[in-house]
Amino acid sequence: MFDIEFLQSNFKLQGTYQSYKPLNDGHINSTFVLDYADEDGTVHRYVVQKINTHIFTNPDALMGNIVGVTTFLQKKIAARGGNVQRETLDFLPAADGKYYAEDSTGSCWRCYRHIGNVYTCNIIDSEEVFYNAGTAFGAFQQALADYPSETLVETIPNFHNTYSRFLDFKKAVADDLSGRRANVQDEIQFILDREADTHVLLNFIDKGELPLRVTHNDTKLNNILFDDKTNQGICIIDLDTVMPGLSLYDFGDSIRFGANTASEDEKDVSKVSLSLPLYKAYTEGYLHTAKDSLWAKEIEYLPFSAKLMTLECGMRFLADYLNGDTYFKTAYPEHNLVRCRTQLALVADMERKMEEMQKITADAAK
Ligand code: GN1
Ligand code: MG
């Protein structure tokens, strides 16, 4: 929970405190929306987040990355006549000038202005809105194409290094810290059988056949704010993992989350499948904004990246389950296992549909 006195003494929050609401979308940080009001009733809304410093161990570097990126985007948005207040996040400096403040318990808090008249989605069936998600992430990648990537600190090293994730997973299986291994033999085997997949993109990076770009690395559908009138994806949020990466990581993770016909923690795996219409919509949207800058191999491997990022996430959820739920926030004891099962079911469905996904991709790239 937050300490309102502490926040007010660190951030210039305009008006008088009225109320708060928790936002429960993220698995990592704790997020609250705070309402302040002037005497005449004008409301000022802020988002405050407790940074998970077990995961983001260097908040100075983290906020350096984020504010570097938002400042860069603000200039670009202003130059093209866009709405700077709505199209990127605006972080408030704390009293000491840093973009976070540390409380007496050692927790680190950051604050940005809330953006109104928008909505977020955890699950989607609208092809139109998912197309817009694709254009938004494609445009985000385009906007950061000339960002000085050497200034970005790797906030979580090897974040999407799929082979390193595979080794972490194997270690979690071997350690079995939670004593749960015996119950998840099928899931473990499913992942072990796909070790070869974890090398594919890394080999292309080594051979110089895929370029490193400035990427978001956590392109879940709920990390886009959609305008509630136009349905356009106007602002990309959750910038903690903006780092050099592959465009394929971003594309694949968007499909993993958004083109699933069920939510990430659906208990009934028979509801999980890859929606080909949603896959098509996102691919068309993404290529609409990003295609001109992509290499042929980046386009060719779009369908595979969707499967790979889903496999990676399944491995991470199962590893965390085996380790005793120490990384992702969970709401009940089997939550990570439920999440893992949706991911593996989705991988299996993507394998069945891979040829169709390839055909859709080739058509969308014409
Ligand atoms: C986490 O922060 P959030 O909830 O958007 C995780 C992602 C996973 C995702 C799975 C820093 O994202 O990598 O894909 O959960 N973020 C971090 O839903 O580990
Ligand atoms: Mg996050």
Side-chain angles (χ1 to χ4, degrees):
M1 206 33 204
F2 56 85
D3 170 351
I4 201 73
E5 298 296 328
F6 159 79
L7 291 174
Q8 286 174 178
S9 65
N10 274 282
F11 298 103
K12 275 200 191 115
L13 306 176
Q14 198 181 332
T16 312
Y17 173 68
Q18 306 291 312
S19 59
Y20 80 92
K21 203 172 69 172
L23 280 185
N24 294 320
D25 276 351
H27 297 343
I28 308 294
N29 301 309
S30 303
T31 311
F32 305 88
V33 178
L34 306 190
D35 274 3
Y36 277 71
D38 291 338
E39 275 170 18
D40 67 3
T42 312
V43 174
H44 304 280
R45 205 165 253 186
Y46 302 93
V47 179
V48 297
Q49 270 184 323
K50 183 165 92 175
I51 301 169
N52 184 330
T53 44
H54 297 289
I55 294 176
F56 297 106
T57 50
N58 184 346
D60 288 289
L62 175 76
M63 293 313 296
N65 277 2
I66 293 179
V67 174
V69 165
T70 53
T71 312
F72 183 87
L73 291 176
Q74 277 159 6
K75 284 188 197 134
K76 285 213 165 166
I77 295 163
R80 65 167 156 72
N83 185 334
V84 176
Q85 272 79 43
R86 280 175 76 69
E87 295 175 36
T88 190
L89 298 179
D90 185 17
F91 284 85
L92 273 57
D96 63 1
K98 289 184 178 182
Y99 282 86
Y100 72 93
E102 190 172 339
D103 70 16
S104 56
T105 68
S107 294
C108 295
W109 294 84
R110 64 186 172 203
C111 177
Y112 59 86
R113 284 177 212 287
H114 180 268
I115 297 173
N117 303 109
V118 294
Y119 63 93
T120 55
C121 317
N122 273 304
I123 187 161
I124 201 164
D125 57 12
S126 161
E127 289 159 38
E128 178 209 334
V129 176
F130 203 41
Y131 175 95
N132 293 344
T135 59
F137 275 121
F140 183 83
Q141 182 189 305
Q142 288 287 99
L144 293 179
D146 55 345
Y147 189 81
S149 60
E150 68 285 356
T151 63
L152 284 171
V153 177
E154 228 187 332
T155 51
I156 304 182
N158 289 323
F159 191 61
H160 283 309
N161 181 322
T162 39
Y163 185 58
S164 148
R165 291 288 187 188
F166 181 78
L167 294 178
D168 292 347
F169 162 75
K170 286 224 302 195
K171 181 169 184 332
V173 174
D175 294 348
D176 191 21
L177 294 176
S178 64
R180 289 161 156 171
R181 182 175 59 201
N183 303 329
V184 291
Q185 288 303 314
D186 291 350
E187 289 79 2
I188 292 172
Q189 195 56 48
F190 183 99
I191 294 168
L192 293 177
D193 288 345
R194 285 159 182 78
E195 176 178 352
D197 289 336
T198 67
H199 294 285
V200 173
L201 300 185
L202 295 168
N203 287 344
F204 289 139
I205 298 176
D206 286 347
K207 288 192 275 178
E209 293 178 16
L210 283 175
L212 284 179
R213 302 178 182 278
V214 175
T215 47
H216 182 279
N217 295 304
D218 185 11
T219 50
K220 282 159 79 164
L221 184 60
N222 63 19
N223 283 331
I224 305 184
L225 306 181
F226 293 98
D227 185 288
D228 64 11
K229 290 197 191 64
T230 65
N231 293 321
Q232 293 296 328
I234 54 154
C235 181
I236 304 295
I237 61 169
D238 194 355
L239 305 171
D240 292 332
T241 50
V242 174
M243 291 182 277
L246 295 182
S247 60
L248 289 166
Y249 299 151
D250 280 1
F251 177 87
D253 201 48
S254 289
I255 299 300
R256 170 190 81 75
F257 193 89
N260 184 353
T261 51
S263 46
E264 188 181 67
D265 58 358
E266 170 58 56
K267 290 183 180 150
D268 178 358
V269 286
S270 72
K271 292 188 179 153
V272 172
S273 67
L274 187 269
S275 159
L276 287 170
L278 286 177
Y279 178 82
K280 178 169 186 278
Y282 190 92
T283 305
E284 289 177 352
Y286 175 72
L287 289 178
H288 178 74
T289 43
K291 185 179 144 194
D292 289 347
S293 64
L294 294 176
W295 295 10
K297 195 148 238 125
E298 290 178 286
I299 296 178
E300 186 188 341
Y301 276 80
L302 292 174
F304 173 78
S305 76
K307 176 187 146 180
L308 183 68
M309 297 315 289
T310 310
L311 179 68
E312 180 192 278
C313 212
M315 285 194 288
R316 292 178 63 196
F317 287 141
L318 190 55
D320 198 33
Y321 181 73
L322 290 166
N323 286 334
D325 306 320
T326 54
Y327 186 93
F328 296 106
K329 282 198 244 167
T330 50
Y332 54 91
E334 304 293 284
H335 207 163
N336 271 320
L337 178 58
V338 166
R339 290 171 178 150
C340 159
R341 287 187 172 142
T342 63
Q343 302 307 288
L344 302 190
L346 190 58
V347 168
D349 197 46
M350 288 178 180
E351 287 175 349
R352 285 188 286 272
K353 291 174 176 161
M354 193 49 70
E355 270 181 36
E356 285 159 287
M357 291 161 74
Q358 282 163 346
K359 165 104 181 43
I360 290 169
T361 309
D363 287 345
K366 273 179 194 156

